[in-house]
Amino acid sequence: MAKIAVIGTGYVGSVSGACLADFGNHVICVDTDNEKIEALKKGIIPIYEPGLDAVVARNIACGRLSFSTDIAFAAKESDIIFIAVSTPPADDGSADLAYVETAARQIGSLIEKYTVIVNKSTVPVGTARKVISWVSDEITKRGLSTEFDVVSNPEFLREGTAVYDSTHPDRVVIGSESERARNIMKDVYRSLYLNETPYIETNLESAEMIKYASNAFLAVKITFINEISNLCEKTGADIRAVAKAMGKDGRIGSKFLHPGPGYGGSCFPKDTRAIAKIGRNNDEILHIVEAAIEANENQKLRAAKKIESVLGSLSGKTIALLGLSFKPNTDDMRESPAITICEYLANRGAHLRLYDPAAMKSAQWRLKALEKSAYYAVDEYDAANSADALVIVTEWNQFRNLDLYKVKELLASPYFFDLRNIYKKQEAVAGGLKYFGIGNSDK
Ligand code: NAD
C-alpha cells in the first residue's frame, strides 16, 4: 500500500486523492483552507462534483483517506507527495507558479527520507526542473542531502465527470528520469496499469507538453466548429447537419463539435494562453492557438451582441439567463462565457434574472460587480418570470425539457435564445416562442 500525500484539495486534488485511496493507497489530502478540510473530514464535499461524496465516504470509512491542514505530518507519513495546487494565469498569460513553488519548497523543507514528488498541476514545460531546484534548495538549506525524484503526472479529468475520468482515464502519463520513481508510480496506479489503461512513460518535458497540447487541441476544435457555425448563419447551411456529418468521419470524431458561446472554465482559457506564451518565449508562434484565443473572446461577445441585435436597446430590458457555470454538472464559473454575457448585457442597462442548478454561490461572488442589476432566481421558471427574453447559456439537463408553454406564459416577450441548440425551432415556435438557435440562418 503506497503512502501518499496530496497537496491541494480543489477540483483536482480532492478527486485524485479520493480515487488514489480507492485504488488501495493510503492517502492524506492537505490544504491550507481550514474550512475546506473541516468539511471534507465530515464527508461534506465543498465543490459540486457528482459521485465524489460516495468515494470520499467509502475511503474515510475504511481508513485509507484522511484530510489535514498539517503538511508536516502528511509529509512525514508519506513516501509520495502529489502537488495539485492551482496555477492561475499571470497578467502576461503565463502560468503563475507561485503556489507550486510554495508547495515544492514546503516539501523540501520537510522530507526526511527518499520521496517521490509528483506534479499534477498543469505547468509550463520546464517546471519539473524548477521543482527539482526548489526542493534541492530547501534540503541544502537544512544541511541535508535527502534523496528525491520529481515526476510529471498531468491530470486530464473533466469537472462533472471527474470521478469516472480518474478511475477510467484514457491514458496515464508519467514523465520521469528515474527508474526508481517510475516503479513506484506503477504501484500507485497498479489497478489501472493491470487493467491495461494506456500507460505512457516519457521524459519530464514531454509529459508537461502533453497536457498543454491536448487542451490546446480541444480548445482549437471547439473554436473551429464555432467559426463554422458562425459561417453557417450567413450562408444558409445548418451547423447541426454540418457537425453531425463531419463527426461521422473517423478522422475527425464527433466529440467537441458542438457550437456554443465559446469555451470557458479553469483549464482551456488559461492553458491556451500559457502554451501560446511558451511558444512566443521560444520564438515559435503557435498561430492556430493564438487565433483560437482571439476567436473565443469574440465568440462570447457574439452571443451577447446577438441578443442585443434582436431585442434592440437593452436599457431597461429584463433578461433571464439559465446556466452560469462554464459547463453543466459543475459549480465552476471560472472564465465562464456567462460572465462575459452578463457583463455585456448589464453594462448596457439590462436587468438580469439568473439561475443555475449549482453555481448560484459562485455567481453571487463572480458577478458581484453586477449586483444592482442581478436577481438570483429560485429556479428556471422564476428566472423567466416577466423577462423580455430567456437565454440558455449552459445546457444543464434540467433545461433540456422546459415546459415551453409555461415559459411563454411567464415571459413578458417571447424571445428564446438557445445558445447550445438543445431545442428544435419547431417545438419552440409551437410553444409560442420566437426561437433563436445558433449556426443556421433561421431568423
Ligand atoms: P483549485 O483552485 O480548485 O484547488 C487548489 C487548492 O490548492 C486550493 O484548495 C488551495 O487552497 C490549495 N493550495 C494552494 N497552495 C497550497 C499549499 N501550499 N498547501 C496546501 N494547499 C494549497 O484548483 P484545481 O482546479 O484543482 O486545479 C489544480 C491544478 O490542476 C491546476 O494546475 C489546474 O490547471 C489543473 N487541472 C485542473 C482541472 C480541472 O478541471 N479543474 C483538470 C486538470 C488539471
Side-chain angles (χ1 to χ4, degrees):
M1 192 196 260
K3 292 167 108 185
I4 297 174
V6 178
I7 302 184
T9 57
Y11 288 86
V12 166
S14 60
V15 176
S16 300
C19 293
L20 285 168
D22 226 31
F23 294 156
N25 300 297
H26 185 273
V27 181
I28 306 174
C29 288
V30 186
D31 206 290
T32 44
D33 184 336
N34 190 40
E35 215 179 299
K36 223 178 231 184
I37 291 298
E38 285 308 311
L40 284 161
K41 277 182 183 168
K42 293 181 201 133
I44 301 166
I45 311 297
I47 54 167
Y48 180 90
E49 186 56 57
L52 181 57
D53 50 355
V55 189
V56 167
R58 168 163 88 232
N59 285 284
I60 291 179
C62 68
R64 281 199 300 258
L65 179 65
S66 61
F67 297 92
S68 174
T69 50
D70 186 350
I71 188 170
F73 167 75
K76 190 160 172 265
E77 290 292 304
S78 308
D79 304 315
I80 304 150
I81 305 181
F82 280 74
I83 300 178
V85 299
S86 40
T87 45
D91 289 342
D92 64 356
S94 62
D96 179 351
L97 294 178
Y99 295 105
V100 174
E101 178 171 357
T102 303
R105 288 193 180 280
Q106 283 175 310
I107 294 168
S109 68
L110 291 166
I111 53 173
E112 285 172 355
K113 56 181 181 309
Y114 173 76
T115 303
V116 180
I117 301 162
V118 186
N119 187 35
K120 223 173 215 325
S121 297
T122 303
V123 290
V125 180
T127 303
R129 298 205 185 275
K130 289 187 180 166
V131 170
I132 293 172
S133 75
W134 291 325
V135 175
S136 299
D137 236 25
E138 297 302 320
I139 292 174
T140 310
K141 276 188 207 163
R142 293 156 68 205
L144 301 174
S145 55
T146 317
E147 282 186 282
F148 70 94
D149 278 309
V150 170
V151 168
S152 172
N153 172 217
E155 180 53 59
F156 300 96
L157 64 76
R158 296 161 298 174
E159 289 174 20
T161 51
V163 171
Y164 180 86
D165 294 345
S166 294
T167 48
H168 302 78
D170 289 336
R171 74 294 208 192
V172 173
V173 174
I174 301 293
S176 171
E177 293 174 336
S178 146
E179 200 181 339
R180 187 176 181 188
R182 276 198 296 270
N183 286 336
I184 290 173
M185 293 310 290
K186 272 186 196 141
D187 269 349
V188 168
Y189 286 118
R190 190 178 155 75
S191 52
L192 295 178
Y193 189 70
L194 294 179
N195 254 346
E196 297 189 8
T197 301
Y199 194 88
I200 295 152
E201 292 183 329
T202 180
N203 65 13
L204 294 166
E205 285 75 12
S206 305
E208 291 169 337
M209 183 64 90
I210 286 165
K211 174 63 189 175
Y212 274 130
S214 302
N215 272 2
F217 186 86
L218 294 172
V220 166
K221 193 172 178 189
I222 295 172
T223 307
F224 182 84
I225 204 64
N226 281 340
E227 290 207 315
I228 296 296
S229 170
N230 299 345
L231 190 56
C232 286
E233 292 185 2
K234 300 276 172 69
T235 54
D238 185 339
I239 193 62
R240 294 182 206 236
V242 173
K244 186 171 179 188
M246 281 175 67
K248 295 290 176 203
D249 186 325
R251 294 166 303 176
I252 297 174
S254 59
K255 291 183 178 162
F256 283 72
L257 282 188
H258 306 285
Y263 60 76
S266 66
C267 293
F268 290 172
K270 92 175 163 58
D271 295 350
T272 44
R273 289 198 290 267
I275 195 172
K277 181 75 168 65
I278 296 171
R280 274 179 263 128
N281 288 350
N282 285 282
D283 285 330
E284 289 296 342
I285 304 296
L286 299 179
H287 298 281
I288 295 176
V289 180
E290 300 266 9
I293 294 167
E294 190 185 341
N296 192 60
E297 287 309 310
N298 291 336
Q299 192 70 13
K300 294 192 266 181
L301 280 175
R302 183 186 172 95
K305 286 179 181 167
K306 182 172 185 169
I307 298 165
E308 185 180 35
S309 76
V310 172
L311 297 185
S313 166
L314 295 170
S315 180
K317 297 255 164 64
T318 300
I319 302 175
L321 294 114
L322 303 186
L324 305 170
S325 54
F326 80 94
K327 66 173 181 180
N329 295 323
T330 178
D331 57 354
D332 197 342
M333 271 189 73
R334 287 179 276 186
E335 305 218 27
S336 173
I339 297 175
T340 309
I341 296 170
C342 287
E343 283 170 351
Y344 185 94
L345 301 175
N347 289 340
R348 278 155 190 78
H351 304 293
L352 310 177
R353 295 179 72 85
L354 306 172
Y355 178 68
D356 186 282
M360 297 302 266
K361 208 168 140 201
S362 310
Q364 284 170 25
W365 172 56
R366 295 210 179 256
L367 299 174
K368 193 153 180 40
L370 310 182
E371 77 190 343
K372 289 206 177 90
S373 313
Y375 165 76
Y376 290 94
V378 296
D379 62 19
E380 45 275 62
Y381 297 107
D382 183 33
N385 195 4
S386 316
D388 295 301
L390 182 72
V391 185
I392 294 183
V393 185
T394 305
E395 71 282 27
W396 283 82
N397 270 343
Q398 73 187 70
F399 303 150
R400 289 176 184 271
N401 203 13
L402 294 174
D403 178 342
L404 296 180
Y405 292 97
K406 185 170 169 184
V407 168
K408 158 77 174 58
E409 286 307 305
L410 287 167
L411 286 173
S413 323
Y415 291 101
F416 184 44
F417 295 89
D418 176 5
L419 303 183
R420 301 287 180 171
N421 277 356
I422 57 176
Y423 284 88
K424 293 203 170 82
K425 182 175 183 183
Q426 303 87 303
E427 59 184 331
V429 170
L433 296 164
K434 290 187 178 164
Y435 178 80
F436 301 86
I438 53 170
N440 61 51
S441 45
D442 288 350
K443 287 278 181 294

